[in-house]
Amino acid sequence: NFVCILGSCYALTYNTRIDQDNTAALLPTGKLILSVDKDTYEELGLQGSPSLYSGKKPMRYIDLMDTAFTPENKKYKRIIWALKEKKPLEFDFLLTWQPTGSEEASLMSYFSNKEIQAHQPKVTFSTLRNVQCPILNSDKLHGEPDAACSTQEFFEWLGAIFTHVENTSSNFLSTYVCPQPSSLIEQVLMCTITGFIPSEKIIHLLEQICCYFEDPKLPHWVSLIVHGFADSPVSWRENEHGFLKGGENLYNFIIFRNLSYWLQRAVGTYDTCP
């Protein structure tokens, strides 16, 4: 059954792998994205298109916000029949909802007859000490004269910090050294929030980071990295998301004290560049 929920609602199948399983995602625009294998696609009888990656997983989206998508419409009846009777699809879903206005109802209340559990994002803090940090200049990008550190080098450095790679130099190819020029920072705070986080919450975090710079004693830049789900069937701008090795699907804001910023984005090897 489709439920009318005011606000932005997101849903993503849980414990499914886009390169092996049937998957689905509901977007706040009202589109239901289905990525299914060939046999399921043929049994459903709904029109779709082959995957760009394997040629075996046809993609199909259903616009739930279409004005013609009503219980009296033939298209509506056919889709409901296909999904509920002809080839019932069952998934475990992650759901998140950002209500509008003064709406106070809980998402739980809409699915009281279903097996549903409420989960809060997991928040962890860690403090890194004596960290060698590259020197950034918001006005100088890679390729420009006097650019202190390229955006690519900085992106790699952030990954090394996140994975706790030691900043050492030796004869081995697997070692890593901080880009130059750099400076030694006595203390770096890293906060990690893990969960199914809607874009509205990320915008709120960006706004809070801008307020952070009101204290002149604090550092000159802050980084906010957002990792999308590797096994989501949809990525940037509703494009199909593929999985080759790591299912890359992330972006990073580097916000500077003057409120200018860099935006870095990483997509899968065969994904459409946003």
Side-chain angles (χ1 to χ4, degrees):
N1 296 328
F2 295 106
V3 181
C4 179
I5 300 177
L6 297 178
S8 299
C9 185
Y10 305 75
L12 179 66
T13 48
Y14 181 61
N15 280 337
T16 55
R17 295 161 293 186
I18 55 175
D19 55 339
Q20 299 181 41
D21 306 317
N22 294 329
T23 61
L26 175 64
L27 308 183
T29 57
K31 288 186 178 180
L32 176 63
I33 307 290
L34 298 175
S35 178
V36 297
D37 59 39
K38 183 179 179 180
D39 291 341
T40 302
Y41 173 73
E42 292 177 349
E43 289 184 60
L44 280 173
L46 299 175
Q47 185 178 4
S49 58
S51 166
L52 298 174
Y53 309 104
S54 66
K56 297 180 180 179
K57 292 176 66 63
M59 290 282 290
R60 164 75 185 179
Y61 80 82
I62 301 170
D63 189 355
L64 306 181
M65 301 298 290
D66 189 335
T67 55
F69 197 70
T70 61
E72 297 77 23
N73 185 271
K74 291 183 179 180
K75 179 180 178 181
Y76 174 93
K77 293 179 180 179
R78 176 173 177 78
I79 291 174
I80 295 300
W81 169 76
L83 296 178
K84 292 184 64 176
E85 300 181 28
K86 192 170 189 295
K87 179 61 178 179
L89 297 177
E90 294 186 1
F91 298 107
D92 290 329
F93 276 98
L94 293 173
L95 292 165
T96 186
W97 172 45
Q98 187 67 24
T100 58
S102 58
E103 180 67 45
E104 297 181 354
S106 167
L107 184 61
M108 302 279 286
S109 64
Y110 288 98
F111 300 94
S112 56
N113 62 335
K114 303 293 183 180
E115 185 178 341
I116 185 170
Q117 295 179 339
H119 296 274
Q120 295 298 325
K122 179 182 178 182
V123 182
T124 59
F125 293 92
S126 61
T127 300
L128 308 177
R129 301 189 183 280
N130 298 322
V131 178
Q132 201 73 29
C133 294
I135 295 175
L136 300 182
N137 185 338
S138 63
D139 298 325
K140 299 295 183 179
L141 296 175
H142 179 56
E144 294 185 5
D146 302 323
C149 174
S150 74
T151 54
Q152 180 63 36
E153 289 175 327
F154 178 70
F155 195 59
E156 293 173 352
W157 175 82
L158 276 178
I161 292 296
F162 185 76
T163 53
H164 302 287
V165 173
E166 294 185 5
N167 180 51
T168 58
S169 177
S170 72
N171 294 327
F172 293 98
L173 294 177
S174 58
T175 59
Y176 179 81
V177 178
C178 178
Q180 298 300 316
S182 65
S183 62
L184 186 65
I185 304 299
E186 293 183 2
Q187 181 173 295
V188 173
L189 176 64
M190 183 165 62
C191 174
T192 304
I193 305 173
T194 305
F196 193 28
I197 305 169
S199 58
E200 292 83 358
K201 294 294 185 182
I202 296 171
I203 293 173
H204 179 69
L205 283 173
L206 285 170
E207 292 172 346
Q208 294 301 305
I209 288 174
C210 292
C211 295
Y212 166 92
F213 290 115
E214 294 176 0
D215 187 340
K217 297 179 181 179
L218 296 177
H220 296 283
W221 57 265
V222 175
S223 173
L224 174 64
I225 307 175
V226 181
H227 289 262
F229 286 81
D231 286 292
S232 169
V234 62
S235 183
W236 295 90
R237 298 182 180 177
E238 301 181 5
N239 291 320
E240 183 183 1
H241 177 49
F243 193 108
L244 179 64
K245 295 181 179 179
E248 294 83 3
N249 182 17
L250 62 101
Y251 59 91
N252 173 41
F253 278 100
I254 305 104
I255 305 99
F256 296 91
R257 181 173 294 281
N258 61 4
L259 299 186
S260 63
Y261 66 90
W262 295 350
L263 173 59
Q264 301 169 306
R265 293 179 285 192
V267 298
T269 305
Y270 297 126
D271 284 16
T272 301
C273 186

